Amino acid sequence: MSNENFNVTTKYNEKINLLYEDLSCIAYCKVVDFRDEVLWVDLSYVESRLTKKNVKLSSKQNTELFKRINYMTIKKMNKQVYEESLGFIEEPPYDLKSPLLEME
């Protein structure tokens, strides 16, 4: 049984091909090429499940989002994540249970 309360899926549509989902939000992302050894991930936008509107993540939430995406891509595809401003994501997520938008 998995111990995380979030999921990462691929192949949403042509422009958005990676989704992060938890109880609080959905993050829509773009991966340049899934065939690469490292996944270059770009965050397009985050939508609150409560308001159905786009939200801006805090710096801490943004970092945690990419740590969670990295955690799942390593688990599911054995591939590490790279994000332009954060570089290679090497640290584990801070929390596997809390919804992302509830983090301070």
Side-chain angles (χ1 to χ4, degrees):
M1 182 173 186
S2 76
N3 55 345
E4 61 273 342
N5 284 341
F6 58 90
N7 192 29
V8 172
T9 56
T10 58
K11 298 185 181 173
Y12 178 66
N13 68 31
E14 294 157 7
K15 294 182 180 180
I16 305 296
N17 58 14
L18 187 137
L19 295 178
Y20 164 90
E21 299 179 83
D22 70 21
L23 296 174
S24 68
C25 66
I26 303 172
Y28 298 86
C29 303
K30 172 75 174 151
V31 174
V32 176
D33 191 341
F34 283 101
R35 297 172 294 182
D36 289 343
E37 292 294 316
V38 174
L39 299 181
W40 293 61
V41 180
D42 181 45
L43 176 62
S44 294
Y45 62 95
V46 178
E47 180 182 283
S48 166
R49 287 190 183 270
L50 180 64
T51 65
K52 304 294 186 210
K53 294 184 179 180
N54 292 357
V55 294
K56 182 164 175 44
L57 297 180
S58 69
S59 177
K60 182 178 178 181
Q61 290 169 327
N62 187 65
T63 301
E64 181 68 7
L65 170 66
F66 283 99
K67 287 180 179 181
R68 290 179 180 192
I69 291 172
N70 186 62
Y71 171 86
M72 291 303 279
T73 58
I74 287 174
K75 184 176 176 178
K76 291 180 173 183
M77 297 183 265
N78 200 28
K79 294 191 178 199
Q80 187 177 9
V81 166
Y82 179 88
E83 195 277 333
E84 188 175 355
S85 64
L86 300 172
F88 286 103
I89 309 300
E90 300 189 66
E91 295 180 21
Y94 174 75
D95 183 356
L96 297 175
K97 298 283 186 194
S98 299
L100 187 66
L101 295 183
E102 292 179 10
M103 295 185 68
E104 293 182 9

